[in-house]
Amino acid sequence: MPARRLKLYTILLGVLLAGVVLLAWTQPWFELVIRLPQGGTAPVTAGGDVAGGALSALSLASLALFAALSIAGRVFRIVLGVLQTLLGVSVALGAGTSLADPIGASGAPITTATGVEGASSLVDLVDSVSATPWPWIALVVGVLSALLGVAVVVLSGAWPQATRKYSATRLVAADPATDPAAAWDTLSGGDDPTEDPASPGRSR
């Protein structure tokens, strides 16, 4: 695959993965049935903004990272690749922690519905809990994002270098015969700009 196309696909994939993480953050993660202190049961939903609150900041950071990666030099690409790996690992850890303890991750909406606080008390109130696909999606995307960061570190050295907008310029003395400003400067120095430079009478 050509280096320019590889760079483009890598950046687009990174933006896509960051967008999926942000989408997962907006979706419901856990569906719970809890017992109310006054009797009866009630359904409670914990969204990704509660169970995986850090994912929004991580996904926005990843989007900014890939925007910077599009113009970064070779050394800076490696730094950004390492950062992307850390961001992906953080997303995976956030989703995995929520999946390992869904009741703890859903504590805020349970407390809002019941007025009860405390980890052990909340566990006693939960009749059932089920996870939607979204925390699993966030977990998988986090792993893929980390692997993409590793790929950036390994492969970005083959990407094309950014081209300079302006080419190098060379300063050349102005010709009085073609440059009016240079002709005036010549007159100020006491020379005639219309005189042949090879003429013996030309003042030096």
Side-chain angles (χ1 to χ4, degrees), residues 45-71:
T45 299
D49 57 336
V50 173
L55 265 62
S56 62
L58 294 172
S59 62
L60 292 176
S62 186
L63 287 173
L65 184 149
F66 279 100
L69 191 61
S70 63
I71 58 173

Side-chain angles (χ1 to χ4, degrees), residues 86-159:
L86 295 176
L87 288 174
V89 170
S90 298
V91 170
L93 285 176
T97 301
S98 296
L99 287 166
D101 183 15
I103 297 177
S106 308
I110 297 175
T111 298
T112 300
T114 63
V116 176
E117 297 181 351
S120 60
S121 299
L122 294 180
V123 171
D124 293 337
L125 292 177
V126 176
D127 272 349
S128 65
V129 56
S130 60
T132 70
W134 288 106
W136 293 102
I137 292 174
L139 175 62
V140 172
V141 172
V143 173
L144 293 177
S145 297
L147 293 176
L148 183 61
V150 174
V152 169
V153 172
V154 174
L155 301 176
S156 62
W159 293 1

